[in-house]
Amino acid sequence: MQNHAYSGRQLALPLASVFAAIILTIGTLLGSSGAANAQQTTASSDRIWHDLKGDVFGDRAILVDTGVVRIEAPKRAQDAAIVPVDIYLDPAKAPDGIKSVTLIIDANPAPVAATFQLGKDAGVTHLSTRVRVNDYSYLRAIAETQGGQLHMAQTFVKASGGCSAPAVKNQDEANATMGQMKLRQFPPKETMTKTEELQLMIRHPNNSGLQRDPLTQYFIPAHFVQKLSISQAGQPILSMEGGISISEDPNFRFDFTVHGNGEIQVEAIDTDGKTFRNQWPLETAGL
Amino acid sequence: MSIDRLRRRLVSGFACTAASAALLPCCLGRAVLAAGGSSRFSLRQIADGLFAFQGADELMTAANDGAICNLGAVVGTDAVAVIDSGGSLIEAQAFLAAIGKVTAKPVRFLVNTHMHPDHIFGNAAFREIGATIVGHRNLPRALDARGAFYLHNYREQLGEALMEGVEIVSPTMLVDDHLQLDLGGRMIELRAWKAAHTDNDLTVFDTVTRTLFAGDLVFMGSLPTLDGSLLGWLRQMDALTAIDAARVVPGHGPITADWPQALAGERRYFEVLARDIRKAIVDGTPLREAVKTAGESERDNWHLFDDYNERNATAAFAELEWE
């Protein structure tokens, strides 16, 4: 699959190495003096974003709150490891179509949570996933139109209190079940439409790489789902390049426009180069 | 009201406005453990050679010195084993001072029942006196993944003064399955559990008095928190029940309770939560909506319900979706 959105010079590096570099930097900070830092505020989150956006989008203009994209998340993260986030796209406000959405969590060790490429005729207007939120932070969704305009929406999330940490809860189980997938198909809410909702779940620890090997004391390399593509009848619906800010057992729920009766196919590739594939018949075939 | 009392109220009122809402009820009690040595830290004898401290049914705050979980000490003829180190170095030092008043035997073991800060933030105090720190085989891995986050996150909640000297200190003696420690004239049995409250839960059973130190596998009064596996916890309820104990020291709640009746409340809560979440999943309700109402009928049965129920529901939803 082509990564047509990454034509800018700033993104000539594979996104994964950007993730890795940022993870390493923050990991070093946390390991030394970072632990003493106070929690982030809206202002400090904005400062992080100000420094970060050039690395992700170069010096391109970003339009804010135009209605092309909206983002919703709980005001306070309940479980730091599993924070639900909803992104809504309004095709009426972007007549030339939206080709991608990037999800940013300013204060996380890996701020670029994911970039989603949207299939040209996929009709995706709503996408929800779950992310880790390490600190008080803005969550930002930046949509790019086919014409190359950038539109942003943001919402501030307070980190969870108490002992909830953005880490894998049941590591042995996560390792043992890695690669399993589950797809749920929600039938159209109204008859005579060709829009249905899918929920894709993938078993994967999506580990941070900030853990040490108990024997060697070296950091264990980050291990996460790096690429994901979802298609139906051979037509791309959604693809993702993601990092460790996506929760363990990555979970995506989205609507799309059904094309014919072809099956739904999913391919996921993690940072160890493992490829996980699966396919399911369309339950609403014959619509 | 006398001028003095009024002034004290005003002064404490200022202190309260400066503190976050969570600290309000206790803002007069700041650093009681620190200032008064063990004045507020009282160890009670619960059986022959067994002592315990009862934590507050609160969130960890600067005002309560992080002392929110129950701690235990088992005294043999040769040595003492301590169960959990508390939520700050200050609490751990008060704990050690209190142990010194009830026995002259050396503290040779610190057993961590799991990874959470209220149970392990005092570990450094035990390393300093040369105690061997014992934990579940998964505990070092869990602390590696969370330690930096805990230190960062709690600095805001507990304040610089209480975080002074707090370190993440991992166990050096690990329990794969079962392990016995000989304290002289009394054996304690350590048991590593499959993922439940966390993926590193360890219980301690004193064979002499048949007392179970359950750590946070047993919550009473304060809402249980789910940071491991709901299904794992429910699946192990029967194995927990089967432990032939005369009494339990729960991780949170009363200092001792009858066994296995002590499990009833938490078991009911988790069954209600699982039922509500399973229904939401079948109905196709998204996680964000489902967690707002799941478990709601349990609200009046627990302290800290609003602090933890939605979080538990979130974790439960993510787990039960895979059934």
Side-chain angles (χ1 to χ4, degrees):
Chain A
M1 182 167 296
Q2 277 195 314
N3 277 328
H4 43 79
Y6 300 137
S7 52
R9 194 166 47 86
Q10 302 286 347
L11 285 177
L13 275 174
L15 209 49
S17 31
V18 176
F19 288 134
I22 295 171
I23 292 164
L24 282 179
T25 310
I26 307 287
T28 315
L29 282 175
L30 277 174
S32 52
S33 61
N37 293 343
Q39 275 165 336
Q40 303 293 343
T41 60
T42 53
S44 67
S45 187
D46 269 332
R47 280 197 295 277
I48 295 173
W49 167 239
H50 183 80
D51 293 343
L52 171 72
K53 68 179 176 186
D55 294 336
V56 187
F57 295 105
D59 54 4
R60 300 163 64 187
I62 300 176
L63 306 169
V64 179
D65 292 335
T66 54
V68 169
V69 60
R70 283 192 300 122
I71 183 167
E72 289 178 6
K75 288 194 167 42
R76 178 175 280 281
Q78 296 294 334
D79 183 332
I82 310 165
V83 180
V85 53
D86 287 272
I87 297 169
Y88 297 91
L89 303 167
D90 187 348
K93 294 213 165 76
D96 59 340
I98 296 167
K99 67 178 178 189
S100 71
V101 189
T102 299
L103 176 61
I104 306 259
I105 305 166
D106 295 346
N108 269 15
V112 182
T115 294
F116 300 95
Q117 308 290 332
L118 309 176
K120 200 161 170 26
D121 301 309
V124 176
T125 63
H126 173 214
L127 164 65
S128 67
T129 187
R130 299 167 194 172
V131 294
R132 298 187 166 111
V133 178
N134 290 50
D135 203 333
Y136 287 39
S137 180
Y138 273 116
L139 271 57
R140 304 173 194 271
I142 296 104
E144 179 167 8
T145 65
Q146 294 290 352
Q149 271 191 337
L150 298 174
H151 297 261
M152 180 171 81
Q154 62 205 36
T155 184
F156 195 70
V157 175
K158 292 182 174 176
S160 66
C163 51
S164 149
V168 177
K169 286 188 174 52
N170 187 351
Q171 185 73 52
D172 294 336
E173 172 94 355
N175 294 343
T177 57
M178 190 169 63
Q180 289 177 14
M181 289 190 206
K182 195 165 170 175
L183 185 83
R184 292 189 74 187
Q185 302 184 43
F186 301 96
K189 290 188 185 78
E190 299 152 36
T191 51
M192 304 304 289
T193 71
K194 290 195 162 190
T195 300
E196 75 164 45
E197 208 178 358
L198 294 182
Q199 182 181 11
L200 174 68
M201 303 156 59
I202 304 167
R203 283 283 207 193
H204 201 285
N206 242 40
N207 263 357
S208 71
L210 298 180
Q211 293 164 250
R212 286 176 199 276
D213 182 304
L215 294 177
T216 64
Q217 290 300 309
Y218 288 123
F219 281 115
I220 297 164
H223 182 206
F224 54 85
V225 174
Q226 194 170 16
K227 284 172 188 264
L228 170 71
S229 59
I230 309 162
S231 61
Q232 187 254 320
Q235 306 230 32
I237 302 173
L238 193 68
S239 66
M240 180 203 75
E241 286 205 31
I244 57 158
S245 289
I246 298 290
S247 299
E248 69 177 286
D249 298 342
N251 193 311
F252 309 94
R253 186 165 169 165
F254 50 90
D255 61 352
F256 79 108
T257 305
V258 176
H259 291 97
N261 296 329
E263 64 184 7
I264 296 156
Q265 292 184 310
V266 173
E267 182 181 273
I269 303 171
D270 75 8
T271 43
D272 286 357
K274 289 199 191 78
T275 301
F276 310 103
R277 290 192 187 88
N278 218 326
Q279 61 282 318
W280 298 264
L282 197 64
E283 285 172 9
T284 52
L287 197 76
Chain B
M1 184 182 288
S2 75
I3 299 290
D4 264 351
R5 278 182 62 196
L6 179 65
R7 181 177 297 138
R8 277 208 298 273
R9 291 241 332 226
L10 281 174
V11 169
S12 66
F14 282 121
C16 285
T17 48
S20 78
L23 311 186
L24 282 177
C26 313
C27 58
L28 281 173
R30 167 73 198 107
V32 176
L33 300 185
S38 54
S39 67
R40 205 180 69 163
F41 190 98
S42 60
L43 266 188
R44 271 169 40 204
Q45 183 157 9
I46 54 171
D48 185 30
L50 253 56
F51 300 86
F53 164 78
Q54 184 171 358
D57 281 342
E58 298 168 3
L59 302 179
M60 289 170 81
T61 63
N64 61 31
D65 285 318
I68 64 158
C69 77
N70 296 339
L71 307 175
V74 184
V75 181
T77 56
D78 298 336
V80 180
V82 160
I83 294 116
D84 284 333
S85 65
S88 63
L89 205 56
I90 287 169
E91 185 188 3
Q93 283 158 351
F95 187 18
L96 280 170
I99 292 167
K101 286 186 182 159
V102 296
T103 177
K105 310 287 186 228
V107 174
R108 198 159 287 158
F109 301 102
L110 163 66
V111 181
N112 285 143
T113 60
H114 65 288
M115 66 189 180
H116 284 147
D118 48 332
H119 300 259
I120 58 117
F121 266 8
N123 276 14
F126 292 85
R127 181 194 57 197
E128 293 316 306
I129 61 163
T132 299
I133 304 180
V134 190
H136 191 289
R137 67 175 182 280
N138 288 341
L139 182 58
R141 179 178 71 185
L143 289 175
D144 274 344
R146 293 164 177 81
F149 177 82
Y150 285 157
L151 292 175
H152 173 76
N153 205 36
Y154 277 87
R155 197 162 293 273
E156 196 85 358
Q157 189 171 334
L158 299 181
E160 292 289 335
L162 193 57
M163 286 298 288
E164 184 85 32
V166 171
E167 289 175 58
I168 302 296
V169 182
S170 268
T172 52
M173 183 186 281
L174 300 182
V175 184
D176 271 338
D177 184 23
H178 286 82
L179 178 74
Q180 289 200 327
L181 296 177
D182 188 351
L183 305 179
R186 111 187 280 161
M187 300 291 270
I188 55 172
E189 293 174 352
L190 279 49
R191 179 167 173 185
W193 294 78
K194 295 201 175 87
H197 173 60
T198 67
D199 74 359
N200 47 84
D201 300 320
L202 193 66
T203 55
V204 179
F205 183 72
D206 171 47
T207 52
V208 175
T209 63
R210 291 174 42 237
T211 301
L212 174 68
F213 291 88
D216 284 3
L217 281 176
V218 181
F219 275 74
M220 298 177 76
S222 287
L223 193 75
T225 60
L226 179 59
D227 207 0
S229 165
L230 174 59
L231 293 173
W233 206 334
L234 284 170
R235 270 197 294 266
Q236 292 177 105
M237 285 284 178
D238 288 340
L240 271 168
T241 304
I243 294 172
D244 183 28
R247 68 180 71 78
V248 64
V249 179
H252 296 266
I255 206 157
T256 57
D258 292 338
W259 188 252
Q261 296 88 321
L263 268 177
E266 117 184 339
R267 186 171 202 159
R268 185 199 61 240
Y269 167 68
F270 283 133
E271 283 168 355
V272 166
L273 186 65
R275 180 199 67 200
D276 291 357
I277 292 291
R278 282 182 175 127
K279 181 174 186 315
I281 291 168
V282 168
D283 291 348
T285 310
L287 181 150
R288 198 148 76 88
E289 295 305 315
V291 300
K292 289 176 186 163
T293 53
E296 196 60 30
S297 61
E298 282 287 314
R299 170 181 296 277
D300 295 338
N301 297 329
W302 301 97
H303 298 296
L304 307 180
F305 184 88
D306 286 334
D307 293 292
Y308 290 127
N309 181 61
E310 214 174 306
R311 167 183 162 190
N312 291 343
T314 302
F317 193 105
E319 182 181 0
L320 296 178
E321 261 182 324
W322 285 95
E323 283 186 308

